[in-house]
C-alpha cells in the first residue's frame, strides 16, 4: 500500500497515528490487507478508507498498489511526419498518458533504443 509517511506540519491525532500504525504494519508484514484486517479484527473497508483519508491529507504517500506485470509487447502505430524547423519530429504517448516528444529526428535504431529504455524505467 506504500505506507511511507510524508513530513507534515500538522500534529497527528491519536486516530491518525493508530491507522498509520496499522497501515505500516501491513506494509512491513507483506500480508494482504484482508488477511491483516482479519487477524486484527478490523473491517477491511475501514483500512482502505483510512488510507484514502491519510493520503488526501498528505500524511501517507500515494498508493503503492501492486502494478500489473509490464506487457512485453505494446501496440505501436507509425505515421509519416514531415517536421519543419522547430516542429515536433516525433511523439511517444505511454499507456499511462505520459507524452515524450522532440524536434530532433529519430532514426529507427534510436527509436528502438528509446522504447527499450522507457520499458526499463517502468
Amino acid at each position: 500500500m506504500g505506507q511511507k509517511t510524508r513530513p507534515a506540519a500538522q500534529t497527528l491525532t491519536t486516530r491518525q497515528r493508530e491507522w498509520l500504525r496499522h497501515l505500516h504494519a501491513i506494509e512491513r508484514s507483506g500480508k494482504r490487507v484482508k488477511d491483516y484486517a482479519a487477524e486484527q479484527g478490523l473491517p477491511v473497508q475501514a483500512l482502505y478508507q483510512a488510507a484514502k483519508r491519510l493520503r488526501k491529507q498528505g500524511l501517507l504517500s500515494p498508493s503503492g498498489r501492486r502494478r500489473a506485470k509490464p506487457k512485453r509487447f505494446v501496440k505501436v502505430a507509425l505515421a509519416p511526419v514531415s517536421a519543419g524547423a522547430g516542429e515536433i519530429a516525433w511523439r511517444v504517448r505511454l499507456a499511462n498518458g505520459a507524452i515524450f516528444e522532440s524536434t530532433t529526428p529519430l532514426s529507427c535504431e534510436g527509436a528502438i533504443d528509446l522504447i527499450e529504455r522507457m520499458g526499463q524505467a517502468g
Side-chain angles (χ1 to χ4, degrees):
M1 291 184 70
Q3 275 68 19
K4 294 183 181 166
T5 55
R6 294 180 181 168
Q10 63 191 23
T11 303
L12 296 176
T13 66
T14 303
R15 182 177 222 161
Q16 289 170 327
R17 279 194 300 276
E18 186 65 21
W19 284 119
L20 282 171
R21 185 183 66 75
H22 284 298
L23 295 168
H24 287 156
I26 293 168
E27 181 72 17
R28 284 190 308 272
S29 72
K31 295 177 183 176
R32 296 183 316 161
V33 174
K34 180 179 178 180
D35 296 335
Y36 180 87
E39 288 175 5
Q40 299 296 314
L42 297 168
V44 176
Q45 196 58 34
L47 283 165
Y48 285 117
Q49 288 298 321
K52 182 178 179 179
R53 279 192 309 274
L54 292 167
R55 274 194 296 276
K56 191 173 184 178
Q57 294 169 339
L59 300 172
L60 189 64
S61 64
S63 178
R65 293 182 185 117
R66 298 186 198 277
R67 296 179 183 175
K69 207 172 190 178
K71 295 180 182 178
R72 184 163 174 106
F73 296 99
V74 177
K75 181 180 176 182
V76 176
L78 300 176
V81 177
S82 57
E87 293 181 17
I88 302 300
W90 59 268
R91 176 179 293 138
V92 175
R93 183 186 312 254
L94 302 181
N96 68 2
I99 298 173
F100 297 88
E101 53 188 34
S102 176
T103 57
T104 306
L106 195 59
S107 67
C108 184
E109 293 81 14
I112 291 169
D113 184 53
L114 174 68
I115 292 168
E116 287 175 348
R117 289 174 188 260
M118 290 170 65
Q120 292 169 357

